[in-house]
Amino acid sequence: MAVATPALTVERLKELAERGEVDTVLLAMADMQGRLQGKRCHVRYFLDEVLPHAAEACNYLLAVDVDMNTVDGYEMSSWEKGYGDFVLRPDLATLRLTPWLEGTALVHCDIEWDDGSPVTASPRQVLRRQLDRLAERGLVALAGTELELIVFRDTYEAAWDKGYRDLQPANQYNVDYSLAGTARVEHLLRRIRNGMAGAGMFVESAKGECNLGQHEIAFRYDEALATCDGHTLYKTGAKEIASQEGMSLTFMAKVDEREGNSCHIHLSVRTPEGDAVMAGDGDHGFSPLMEHWVAGQLACLRELTLFFAPNINSYKRYVDGSFAPTAVAWGYDNRTCALRAVGHGHSLRLENRVPGGDVNPYLAVAATIAAGLHGIDNELPLEPAFVGNAYGSDRPRVPARLADAAAAFAESKVARDAFGDDVVAHYLNAARVEQAAFDAAVTDWEKRRGFERL
């Protein structure tokens, strides 16, 4: 079993600081959108003050939209409550160098209130709560996230100035598995791979994908919290490296009418000793626990979709025949289903194909665990694997709109039991804010259709 270990110890950081090789430490927290926010600290301040006393940040970081606008409706943070601080508590197991930033290290932080209690709606805490529930049953979660991205030859500043229209993709044709095609952008992919390896992540491979300029860099599975920390670091670092190369890239779920960016999440549970409790003598090599786990995913997928697809744009991926799922079905090694079982023995796992590249990994993995525990605790029976093309089936459908997913989440007893009413209310408000912003926007599509002809 892969076990997360510190990529950089405090003692080693002190040595590097004394030699002048590290002068900056990034305090990073994951916000609701799964982005890394925080502060840049001088290394001496980090060692002398942050380590013994932690740091602070404005609690509006968990109560704003993607544009960092203050919005109404959050219990934890508002104008009425004065937008005070919460505590950034470094998790030293995550301390690491960031080789693409000169003289810089980074540490992920847990979010606490002044009295030391956790901020329950913070994404890292939402996941920790589900990992604790697993631990109560003698289980640990191993996860891998497969993020796709699209690379453009325009800088981020040029893309902004152009309104993100008429951008030049790094590849002009489908380079799925093409070695010649991916070589066109290897200078960037190699920098990203080596940068992540230097940050302590286990890089597996890179490959081309279907959309123009679309690629995927894969990392080895790890314990769930470490995987999610690595996921957020990778997204941030890949964008920073692309910017340094005079290019840009996006993890948007759907940037155009071609294939979207997925984030397939592979997850399995084992004992702390590494026993493969999902493997057994049943059909497809499943144990009873695996059968209940998959049944729980099926039973809860629609009501927990908000944690897999949190944005308006997320739902544009769900197109028949696009390798993005539309049917709530499971199959063994069947990519037309929302849930794909794959592997055998220790490698047996379930792949959730619903999340896109815009997903918050902490929330998605937490939802997967909550659904699996619902199946285990209630010993839900597993229906037969779907065989054939699920796109054309009569199976229930993945929610097609954010509003539909939010409504199902609001009514979900599983969500309230697993996450708590406060967390459910917090993320329902985030969905409301996202929906209201979109409803108020006038899109290019509307202008093209109506400016002259309506």
Side-chain angles (χ1 to χ4, degrees):
M1 174 169 54
V3 178
T5 56
L8 178 65
T9 64
V10 172
E11 291 71 22
R12 178 62 175 160
L13 177 62
K14 291 178 179 177
E15 293 174 2
L16 294 173
E18 290 170 358
R19 297 209 301 260
E21 295 180 30
V22 172
D23 53 62
T24 302
V25 178
L26 307 182
L27 300 183
M29 59 159 280
D31 69 5
M32 288 191 296
Q33 290 78 23
R35 303 173 299 184
L36 291 185
Q37 309 280 32
K39 298 180 177 182
R40 282 176 153 79
C41 300
H42 191 276
V43 65
R44 183 53 55 195
Y45 176 78
F46 174 79
L47 292 170
D48 292 350
E49 298 295 334
V50 176
L51 278 185
H53 306 300
E56 299 78 32
C58 180
N59 61 33
Y60 98 135
L61 288 172
L62 290 177
V64 291
D65 67 8
V66 72
D67 284 326
M68 302 301 290
N69 295 313
T70 53
V71 292
D72 295 332
Y74 289 108
E75 175 63 26
M76 74 158 61
S77 182
S78 66
W79 291 115
E80 288 71 24
K81 293 192 173 183
Y83 284 115
D85 284 346
F86 46 41
V87 175
L88 304 180
R89 181 75 62 187
D91 180 351
L92 294 180
T94 69
L95 184 63
R96 66 185 80 207
L97 296 172
T98 53
W100 60 94
L101 298 172
E102 184 178 359
T104 302
L106 176 145
V107 64
H108 292 268
C109 297
D110 285 308
I111 313 303
E112 301 174 353
W113 297 116
D114 285 340
D115 62 4
S117 61
V119 176
T120 55
S122 66
R124 213 165 185 260
Q125 180 57 34
V126 172
L127 176 56
R128 280 192 181 278
R129 182 171 179 174
Q130 300 313 302
L131 295 175
D132 288 344
R133 294 180 66 211
L134 268 182
E136 291 169 1
R137 295 157 174 83
L139 298 171
V140 297
L142 301 176
T145 59
E146 298 179 332
L147 267 169
E148 293 174 345
L149 54 88
I150 297 178
V151 181
F152 296 95
R153 299 198 179 277
D154 310 78
T155 66
Y156 280 109
E157 291 76 15
W160 173 279
D161 290 341
K162 294 167 70 172
Y164 302 102
R165 292 183 292 271
D166 302 320
L167 304 184
Q168 182 184 0
N171 300 97
Q172 296 169 301
Y173 56 87
N174 181 332
V175 296
D176 194 18
Y177 287 97
S178 168
L179 294 181
T182 52
R184 302 280 183 85
V185 72
E186 171 63 2
H187 67 287
L188 174 63
L189 299 180
R190 182 173 181 268
R191 273 207 65 196
I192 295 173
R193 293 195 308 271
N194 289 340
M196 296 307 126
M201 297 171 62
F202 194 120
V203 182
E204 290 189 350
S205 61
K207 65 176 288 291
E209 291 288 346
C210 299
N211 203 340
L212 307 185
Q214 189 175 45
H215 299 265
E216 175 185 286
I217 298 176
F219 299 86
R220 189 179 184 183
Y221 71 91
D222 207 330
E223 291 189 5
L225 186 62
T227 288
C228 294
D229 290 340
H231 176 120
T232 55
L233 177 65
Y234 163 54
K235 285 186 74 171
T236 300
K239 292 175 185 178
E240 292 171 343
I241 293 169
S243 179
Q244 292 168 7
E245 292 289 326
M247 303 175 77
S248 59
L249 56 84
T250 182
F251 294 94
M252 275 185 70
K254 190 81 166 177
V255 74
D256 56 25
E257 288 72 26
R258 290 177 59 98
E259 296 83 4
N261 284 325
S262 67
C263 178
H264 304 147
I265 295 180
H266 294 249
L267 194 141
S268 65
V269 294
R270 299 183 189 175
T271 67
E273 297 74 31
D275 296 331
V277 295
M278 285 183 158
D281 299 326
D283 291 344
H284 310 292
F286 288 8
S287 68
L289 182 144
M290 177 65 165
E291 292 179 356
H292 299 324
W293 183 273
V294 179
Q297 306 301 322
L298 285 173
C300 300
L301 192 147
R302 284 180 51 83
E303 61 197 80
L304 299 183
T305 292
L306 182 63
F307 273 8
F308 302 130
N311 303 304
I312 288 286
N313 182 256
S314 308
Y315 296 83
K316 301 295 180 72
R317 281 183 58 244
Y318 306 135
V319 177
D320 287 347
S322 67
F323 286 101
T326 58
V328 180
W330 85 275
Y332 189 83
D333 200 14
N334 186 339
R335 285 182 169 88
T336 71
C337 299
L339 302 168
R340 170 180 172 248
V342 65
H344 57 276
H346 272 76
S347 71
L348 180 64
R349 62 198 184 276
L350 191 66
E351 175 191 54
N352 187 333
R353 298 178 63 80
V354 174
D358 60 339
V359 73
N360 185 322
Y362 302 97
L363 301 181
V365 172
T368 301
I369 294 171
L373 289 178
H374 174 70
I376 291 172
D377 291 349
N378 293 280
E379 297 185 349
L380 297 183
L382 179 61
E383 64 188 46
F386 186 90
V387 178
N389 183 0
Y391 288 117
S393 72
D394 60 358
R395 297 289 302 161
R397 314 312 281 178
V398 175
R401 302 182 307 146
L402 177 63
D404 298 335
F409 191 72
E411 298 298 321
S412 173
K413 185 176 185 302
V414 171
R416 294 185 182 279
D417 289 347
F419 309 128
D421 289 340
D422 57 337
V423 172
V424 170
H426 193 88
Y427 286 95
L428 281 175
N429 192 62
R432 179 191 66 79
V433 168
E434 169 84 355
Q435 186 69 56
F438 180 74
D439 290 344
V442 178
T443 67
D444 287 350
W445 181 86
E446 293 168 278
K447 292 178 183 178
R448 283 197 302 270
R449 289 171 70 91
F451 186 90
E452 176 182 351
R453 292 174 288 178
L454 294 182

